[in-house]
Amino acid sequence: KLNNTGLALFGQSTFQLTPKLQITGGLRYDVENKKGDVRVFRVDSLFAVTNIITDTSYNVDFSALSPELNLSFQITKQQLLYIDYARGFRAGGNNIYTTLEDFGTYDPEYSNNIELGYKFISANKNYDAQVALFYLNWQNMQLDLQAAPGEWVIDNIGNVIAKGAEIEFQVIPLVGTFIQTAIGINNAHY
């Protein structure tokens, strides 16, 4: 028997500081409860029961406050420059179907994300381009991994730093025709 319940509340406001400069701030609150009663067993042809995994019961709560802040500058009607910060959260949990005791639970994951970008759209809106640089810092990153043959679990692999860039270009050369291309580069270590 598994029961996961969660609730999130989010709000944001935007303030026009000058005709070209605006700031947006947001806040998200997450709360999650994970409950479970798990029994994994095998019944042979003589109806003898063999436990495969020790009976497990758990009841854990997770919560997080995640802010976001965006500052954007409208250079011209067609050009926008922005910087964005956001904090991410993913609840922890239990690996209920593993026989490996070292992988019974995993912790919540948090991330701090910064993006600096530039957007351009043509006056006739037939083409646009975006360029973004990003920096991500995860704490307790969660990853699905095979801990032993046939034993897949979620585990916290540690802290991760990722940085990179993305470029996108879109064009409408003719009515009914749309061409889009994008390229990105990512450098991550954990």
Side-chain angles (χ1 to χ4, degrees):
K1 180 180 177 182
L2 305 175
N3 187 9
N4 292 342
T5 308
L7 175 68
L9 301 172
F10 178 79
Q12 79 176 41
S13 292
T14 300
F15 300 98
Q16 197 71 40
L17 302 176
T18 71
K20 293 186 176 227
L21 185 65
Q22 74 178 22
I23 188 167
T24 300
L27 197 57
R28 177 184 174 107
Y29 179 69
D30 288 275
V31 62
E32 191 167 335
N33 175 266
K34 295 183 176 187
K35 290 183 197 177
D37 291 304
V38 180
R39 184 173 182 206
V40 180
F41 57 91
R42 176 179 40 229
V43 179
D44 66 18
S45 60
L46 300 175
F47 298 101
V49 175
T50 303
N51 282 339
I52 296 172
I53 297 175
T54 306
D55 294 355
T56 303
S57 292
Y58 62 91
N59 184 357
V60 290
D61 294 308
F62 301 98
S63 63
L65 198 57
S66 305
E68 181 172 9
L69 187 63
N70 177 285
L71 186 64
S72 62
F73 181 71
Q74 193 76 47
I75 302 167
T76 66
K77 287 184 180 181
Q78 286 83 32
Q79 300 178 73
L80 177 75
L81 183 64
Y82 68 91
I83 187 164
D84 186 73
Y85 165 78
R87 178 145 170 97
F89 164 75
R90 187 179 343 179
N94 295 72
N95 291 306
I96 56 176
Y97 299 114
T98 183
T99 59
L100 304 170
E101 291 182 20
D102 291 343
F103 295 99
T105 63
Y106 53 95
D107 294 328
E109 170 187 291
Y110 299 91
S111 65
N112 291 295
N113 315 290
I114 299 171
E115 183 175 324
L116 174 65
Y118 170 81
K119 295 182 179 185
F120 172 82
I121 187 165
S122 65
N124 63 5
K125 299 185 180 174
N126 281 351
Y127 62 94
D128 62 77
Q130 296 91 36
V131 177
L133 303 174
F134 61 87
Y135 175 86
L136 311 172
N137 180 352
W138 276 285
Q139 293 90 41
N140 289 328
M141 184 180 198
Q142 297 170 7
L143 186 68
D144 291 324
L145 57 95
Q146 189 173 16
E151 295 273 351
W152 285 90
V153 298
I154 298 173
D155 195 24
N156 299 101
I157 60 167
N159 299 330
V160 177
I161 300 290
K163 52 192 167 203
E166 297 175 346
I167 300 171
E168 295 179 33
F169 180 74
Q170 302 169 65
V171 64
I172 302 172
L174 304 167
V175 174
T177 305
F178 177 75
I179 299 170
Q180 180 180 23
T181 185
I183 189 168
I185 186 166
N186 182 22
N187 182 358
H189 298 277
Y190 62 91

